[in-house]
Amino acid sequence: MKVIVNVKLKAGVLDPAGKATENALHSLGFISVNDVRIGKQIVFNLDIDCKDEAKKEVTKMCEELLANTVIEEYEIVL
């Protein structure tokens, strides 16, 4: 089963990479861009057929390694 985990900073957490990207886009003339936030996407295969079991396993992965739940939130796509 293909798994996609999208991780992004929680609202209100400063995002220096997002701000730098926004500034760079503005300097290139893309002035309509605003509120850029940078996240990450993790894609992998999981040898579990049951979606409920897979979601439980991936949630555990996110809580223990893939996301810093103090400042980040994540979305699991199965």
Side-chain angles (χ1 to χ4, degrees):
M1 174 182 307
K2 183 176 181 178
V3 178
I4 300 170
V5 178
N6 296 310
V7 180
K8 65 180 182 178
L9 291 170
K10 291 181 177 177
V13 175
L14 294 178
D15 184 354
K19 193 62 179 171
T21 300
E22 181 178 317
N23 290 340
L25 288 168
H26 287 172
S27 71
L28 292 171
F30 299 104
I31 58 172
S32 62
V33 175
N34 60 61
D35 198 26
V36 176
R37 305 287 285 177
I38 302 292
K40 60 186 172 187
Q41 184 177 71
I42 304 151
V43 180
F44 56 94
N45 290 311
L46 192 63
D47 289 333
I48 297 175
D49 294 327
C50 174
K51 277 194 168 189
D52 289 340
E53 185 180 337
K55 186 158 187 168
K56 184 177 177 181
E57 185 81 357
V58 175
T59 297
K60 188 174 179 184
M61 291 177 196
C62 290
E63 297 288 327
E64 293 183 11
L65 178 69
L66 301 178
N68 177 349
T69 57
V70 174
I71 61 170
E72 296 175 322
E73 57 191 12
Y74 59 87
E75 171 194 27
I76 299 168
V77 180
L78 300 174

